[in-house]
Amino acid sequence: MPSVEGVGARRAALQMLDGVLRRGQTLETAAGASTRNLSPPDRALAVAIAGETLRRIPDLDSLIDSATRQRLPDDSKARIVLRLALAQKIGLGTPDHAVVATALPLVDGGPRRLVHGVLGTLLRRGLPAVDAPRLPPQVEQRWRDAWGEPVVEAARRQIAKRPPLDLTFVDDTESKAYAKAHGGVSLAPGHVRIESSAVAALAGFGEGRWWVQDLAASLPARLIPAAAKDVLDLCAAPGGKTMQLAAAGHIVTSVDSSKARLERLRENLDRTHLTAELVEADALTWDPKRQFDAILLDVPCSATGTFRRHPEVLYRARPPIIAAAAEFQGKLLDRAAQWLKPGASLIYCVCSLEPQEGEQVISAFLADHSDFAMEPAELPDFVTSSGNGSVRILPGLLEDEGGLDGFFIARLVRRG
Ligand SMILES: C[S@@+](CC[C@H](N)C(=O)[O-])C[C@H]1O[C@@H](n2cnc3c(N)ncnc32)[C@H](O)[C@@H]1O
């Protein structure tokens, strides 16, 4: 049988969904293996289909269930093929005939008639436009308990949209003029938000005048006191925060345990003409033999705050993974605290929407360390600090401007 055009991209999307949903991979890792033999446009299409599916699974499943007599198992091939076919129609506007023609070969030798029948029924019925797709029920429940219904509703609206591109400038004073010249907006010193995805084609990329960094991710480094000379960036790669610290004139030591990620940090520093000392080490065993004027600790986490760009986190970050991450974060914080000079500040941050990885890590740390206290954080106008030194960025903040990644930031000071 001649192969139908576009089936390769759909087959790769199917493998990616399997990698994410069954094997707990990131979309990037799953894409690496699944799209190796595809052309760049087909690769982009496969990633777009898998991403669009992951943004909408609960709503896609309700549609599928409304057209089958017996519920298809969650991990059955028929359900996954139906999900990705319907996601193309709803999220990417793929025409009906292409949706059907590219789905059926994926179930050759299997439930082809069933998939054909369900697709035919649903496409004839007409699919609803969903601009606030439901999140997985257990995630909605967790976030409802932690932050309330309006935050869940904002997260639903945000997952349907492509987040804008945020740039951080080496030279703070450049960003306003750049925003004006390129149709962007500057929401904080050194920041530009722009509607574009062609990063390498944007003015100033080659000269290293800026790097890509979500506005929320740029907030922690803004809390390092200007007077701190010798600054440790712990868990530093790929280096957005190291570059901010180096650009602000600090002498930066950047530690990370991943050699590959440190290589990306090195490339980023080279491109932006900034300098830092790079150390490949496990923070749990590294011994710096000195104390620092300030420490930025950007711990590894569930990354649920990045769900707009990485919808797979909603499926990967299960409660045991969040609990294990929180335990590890507490250990990293205990260790980093020993390397801080008396009177100096430690900024702890995490791109997670789970209080277990943010507020609870800090309260457990403070309960055990009477020589540390929280200190109020000063940030751009649009962010409100709790007044005690912590900042929580939730879905809904700056929504009309394109939103922010979810984050938690705490400023701790070692008593002098
Ligand atoms: C959230 S990312 C850091 C992002 C980075 N701060 C930035 O702004 O680009 C967490 C980092 O922690 C590193 N990491 C994980 N476990 C570590 C350990 N035991 N010691 C040092 N680094 C570790 C990971 O390799 C990863 O690069």
Side-chain angles (χ1 to χ4, degrees):
M1 201 191 287
S3 69
V4 178
E5 199 183 335
V7 173
R10 274 73 177 188
R11 204 176 293 287
L14 180 63
Q15 283 170 10
M16 283 156 68
L17 290 170
D18 184 61
V20 169
L21 297 173
R22 220 162 44 80
R23 284 180 277 145
Q25 293 177 336
T26 63
L27 202 49
E28 197 181 336
T29 305
S34 312
T35 63
R36 204 170 290 133
N37 300 321
L38 295 182
S39 64
D42 271 355
R43 182 179 195 283
L45 177 60
V47 172
I49 294 171
E52 205 54 55
T53 306
L54 289 165
R55 287 169 198 280
R56 300 174 179 278
I57 286 180
D59 287 311
L60 299 173
D61 280 350
S62 296
L63 284 170
I64 294 166
D65 293 344
S66 74
T68 51
R69 235 176 271 137
Q70 268 193 336
R71 195 174 185 281
L72 297 170
D74 275 349
D75 56 357
S76 63
K77 196 172 187 186
R79 182 179 289 280
I80 302 182
V81 168
L82 285 165
R83 283 174 179 161
L84 71 83
L86 296 170
Q88 288 167 66
K89 176 72 188 166
I90 295 174
L92 304 175
T94 308
D96 291 8
H97 63 86
V99 167
V100 177
T102 55
L104 297 183
L106 303 181
V107 280
D108 265 347
R112 197 181 154 100
R113 278 184 57 190
L114 171 91
V115 167
H116 200 174
V118 173
L119 277 181
T121 305
L122 291 173
L123 291 172
R124 268 195 306 280
R125 212 189 266 168
L127 301 179
V130 181
D131 49 14
R134 282 177 294 148
L135 312 178
Q138 60 280 23
V139 176
E140 289 201 347
Q141 192 56 52
R142 221 169 51 225
W143 292 357
R144 188 174 293 117
D145 291 347
W147 315 118
E149 187 62 27
V151 168
V152 173
E153 285 168 13
R156 286 181 180 175
R157 290 191 296 274
Q158 291 199 338
I159 201 167
K161 297 184 187 137
R162 293 298 158 281
L165 190 65
D166 285 335
L167 312 178
T168 303
F169 277 72
V170 174
D171 177 356
D172 269 9
T173 61
E174 261 203 83
S175 56
K176 277 198 175 145
Y178 188 97
K180 203 166 170 204
H182 296 91
V185 52
S186 178
L187 297 168
H191 165 265
V192 171
R193 175 161 285 189
I194 205 156
E195 292 297 331
S196 170
S197 53
V199 174
L202 284 175
F205 176 80
E207 301 128 85
R209 283 160 59 199
W210 48 259
W211 58 93
V212 174
Q213 183 179 40
D214 188 86
L215 177 57
S218 81
L219 298 176
R222 296 172 191 268
L223 297 183
I224 295 285
K229 262 199 200 150
D230 189 13
V231 176
L232 173 64
D233 185 4
L234 191 60
C235 301
K241 298 173 190 69
T242 287
M243 290 186 279
Q244 279 181 285
L245 296 171
H250 303 286
I251 296 168
V252 189
T253 304
S254 301
V255 176
D256 202 281
S257 57
S258 161
K259 188 180 166 72
R261 288 171 68 92
L262 274 172
E263 271 162 25
R264 283 175 59 201
L265 173 42
R266 165 62 56 211
E267 286 162 16
N268 282 331
L269 287 170
D270 288 349
R271 188 177 64 80
T272 50
H273 315 289
L274 293 167
T275 49
E277 186 194 343
L278 306 196
V279 179
E280 182 189 337
D282 180 340
L284 295 182
T285 52
W286 184 58
D287 178 8
K289 305 220 175 355
R290 73 178 194 276
Q291 289 182 318
F292 294 87
D293 297 329
I295 297 178
L296 179 54
L297 174 57
D298 183 15
V299 286
C301 69
S302 66
T304 49
T306 67
F307 71 94
R308 300 175 307 157
R309 281 175 237 277
H310 304 289
E312 76 272 22
V313 294
L314 300 174
Y315 295 90
R316 299 181 67 230
R318 297 177 196 279
I321 289 180
I322 295 169
E327 198 187 328
F328 187 57
Q329 290 151 5
K331 286 185 185 157
L332 286 173
L333 181 55
D334 279 350
R335 218 152 151 83
Q338 301 167 25
W339 308 329
L340 199 63
K341 285 182 185 164
S345 305
L346 185 153
I347 311 299
Y348 172 93
C349 63
V350 70
C351 60
S352 162
L353 281 165
E354 316 306 325
Q356 243 181 307
E357 297 181 280
E359 289 81 351
Q360 290 174 23
V361 169
I362 295 300
S363 43
F365 174 83
L366 288 173
D368 276 358
H369 295 78
S370 54
D371 52 335
F372 276 81
M374 299 274 268
E375 191 167 88
E378 264 188 47
L379 282 163
D381 296 348
F382 62 83
V383 186
T384 38
S385 161
S386 65
N388 69 354
S390 73
V391 177
R392 185 35 100 176
I393 309 282
L394 294 171
L397 185 65
L398 288 188
E399 190 173 343
D400 292 344
E401 289 82 3
L404 296 171
D405 279 353
F407 246 86
F408 170 79
I409 309 165
R411 179 172 179 168
L412 300 166
V413 175
R414 184 172 194 169
R415 295 183 211 275

